[in-house]
Amino acid sequence: MRDMRRYRVDNCSIERTLAVLGEKWTFLVLREAFNGIRRFADLQTRTGAPRQVLSARLSRLVEEGLLRKVPYQEPGQRQRDEYRLTQKGLDLYPIMIALMHWGDRYLADPEGPPVVVTHRDCGAPVTLHLVCEEGHRVDGPREVTPRPGPGARLSTPA
C-alpha cells in the first residue's frame, strides 16, 4: 500500500462535496426535496430557514445542478418556480439516509427516530450497507484500504 500522506489533498472529493453541501440549510432543503416539497413557501415553512438564506441555498443548488427550476402558475397568480431534484441531486439519497441513520442512532429521542424509511414494495425498513464491487459487505473503515486513484497527485517536497 502506498502512504497516502505522500499525496496532495487539494482535489479531495470530500472537501469539494462539502464546499457544495456543507451546511445545515442545504441539507434541510434537500431533505424536503426528497420528501416531495417543491415550492419556496413550503420549503421555508418546513425548514424554518430565513427567506434570504433559503433563496441563496436554492440558487446555489440550482447553480450546482442538484435542483432544477420548473415554472408553475396558480390561477390568478404570477408565475413562480418549483424546485425539483435532478439526477445529480437524487444521487445524494444514500448520503441523506446515512445522515438520518447516524442521527437516529446517536441523537434520537428516547422513544426512537421520528421517521422510518421503508421499502415501498414490502414495507421493511431500509438499511444502508457498503459493498465492494465483488459483492462483499464492508462493515467499517478497518475493512478498507485507501489507495491513490487516477486523479491522485504526489505532493512536492518542501
Side-chain angles (χ1 to χ4, degrees):
M1 176 185 87
R2 298 193 103 155
D3 184 356
M4 291 303 294
R5 292 174 294 187
R6 295 178 50 220
Y7 292 86
R8 295 170 36 186
V9 295
D10 59 338
N11 65 339
C12 170
S13 295
I14 293 172
E15 183 174 347
R16 288 177 175 176
T17 301
L18 287 173
V20 174
L21 302 178
E23 60 91 39
K24 168 186 160 179
W25 298 117
T26 300
F27 282 102
L28 295 180
V29 167
L30 290 169
R31 176 195 68 195
E32 296 308 319
F34 278 109
N35 286 324
I37 307 300
R38 297 177 174 162
R39 296 181 178 182
F40 187 94
D42 296 331
L43 288 165
Q44 188 176 23
T45 298
R46 297 276 303 165
T47 64
R51 185 172 190 77
Q52 289 179 322
V53 170
L54 180 57
S55 182
R57 291 309 163 267
L58 288 168
S59 292
R60 178 72 191 272
L61 291 169
V62 169
E63 177 185 311
E64 293 290 341
L66 302 172
L67 295 176
R68 63 186 170 89
K69 290 182 181 183
V70 177
Y72 76 95
Q73 188 170 10
E74 297 287 344
Q77 299 288 320
R78 68 179 176 85
Q79 181 175 302
R80 297 174 186 226
D81 292 316
E82 288 186 336
Y83 297 88
R84 297 188 184 185
L85 290 159
T86 62
Q87 186 58 54
K88 189 175 179 182
L90 289 166
D91 286 345
L92 291 170
Y93 193 65
I95 293 171
M96 300 300 288
I97 294 296
L99 282 171
M100 185 182 78
H101 284 174
W102 188 91
D104 291 348
R105 182 172 183 176
Y106 295 107
L107 303 171
D109 292 337
E111 303 81 37
V115 174
V116 177
V117 177
T118 59
H119 185 231
R120 185 170 290 170
D121 289 346
C122 72
V126 171
T127 59
L128 196 61
H129 301 284
L130 298 177
V131 294
C132 73
E133 288 186 0
E134 296 293 323
H136 304 111
R137 185 171 163 159
V138 178
D139 289 321
R142 289 190 173 98
E143 295 182 24
V144 300
T145 303
R147 297 178 191 233
R153 302 175 190 148
L154 282 170
S155 296
T156 53

